[in-house]
Amino acid sequence: LGVGGEESRGGLLLVVPRKGYNTIEWFSLSVLNKEKGLASSDEYDRKRAQVLEKLRDLNLLKKADIEEYGLVHDALHPKSQRRFDFFTSWDPAALGGRDSRRVEPIHHAIRSKRKDKEERFEMALKAGMKYFPERLGFLFCKEE
């Protein structure tokens, strides 16, 4: 694409100034800065999931990005169900991945102080049980 060089994948890995995240993370995040209206709609989630699918098809979004940038953690929000499903279906192992605080997504949801923490927990548990029933959806994990 000629933007940002090959290592930046067309600029997708460049950090957004004053924000601290790259473009891939931005597409993965639920609702930013208390956005209202379209940003909290199902249509918004659907369109962002479509963009992520297209980036994957173009080989600009890689499976390794999911854990490296904590994209499952970023998408763990009721308003970003499609993005969460996209990442967890592509890389179910990310459900057992730890974020920068060394916490699995399900425990990230449990520790949340937000009023939607039960919905986040349910999202993580359902996905975990779908892909890892033998591990009880990562509900019980040893801290390292």
Side-chain angles (χ1 to χ4, degrees):
L1 293 174
V3 179
E6 178 63 31
E7 66 280 352
S8 293
R9 287 189 243 148
L12 292 173
L13 300 181
L14 298 175
V15 175
V16 177
R18 295 186 310 255
K19 298 294 183 186
Y21 46 79
N22 64 39
T23 304
I24 291 174
E25 292 169 303
W26 180 80
F27 275 110
S28 306
L29 289 168
S30 53
V31 179
L32 300 170
N33 300 326
K34 310 261 188 246
E35 293 172 330
K36 304 288 184 207
L38 179 63
S40 62
S41 72
D42 188 55
E43 178 72 6
Y44 183 80
D45 185 33
R46 185 183 65 73
K47 285 182 178 183
R48 282 193 171 201
Q50 286 177 334
V51 169
L52 291 165
E53 288 172 15
K54 185 69 171 172
L55 291 172
R56 177 185 62 189
D57 294 346
L58 293 170
N59 203 30
L60 292 171
L61 176 63
K62 303 189 183 290
K63 188 175 181 178
D65 294 336
I66 296 170
E67 284 199 57
E68 183 174 346
Y69 298 109
L71 304 180
V72 168
H73 288 80
D74 289 345
L76 182 55
H77 187 281
K79 301 286 187 196
S80 55
Q81 181 73 54
R82 282 188 170 93
R83 286 170 276 169
F84 180 78
D85 292 344
F86 169 76
F87 292 127
T88 58
S89 66
W90 188 15
D91 185 13
L95 289 162
R98 297 169 187 264
D99 67 2
S100 60
R101 294 171 303 231
R102 309 203 39 81
V103 177
E104 294 84 0
I106 194 166
H107 295 171
H108 178 78
I110 291 169
R111 294 177 181 177
S112 175
K113 304 263 190 258
R114 299 175 186 255
K115 62 182 177 183
D116 59 8
K117 81 185 228 175
E118 289 84 10
E119 292 172 278
R120 291 173 187 239
F121 172 75
E122 184 177 345
M123 285 174 66
L125 183 60
K126 280 183 179 179
M129 290 301 292
K130 177 179 179 179
Y131 296 108
F132 298 98
E134 73 284 355
R135 301 219 31 214
L136 297 176
F138 298 104
L139 185 57
F140 303 102
C141 295
K142 293 181 181 177
E143 289 193 29
E144 293 180 12

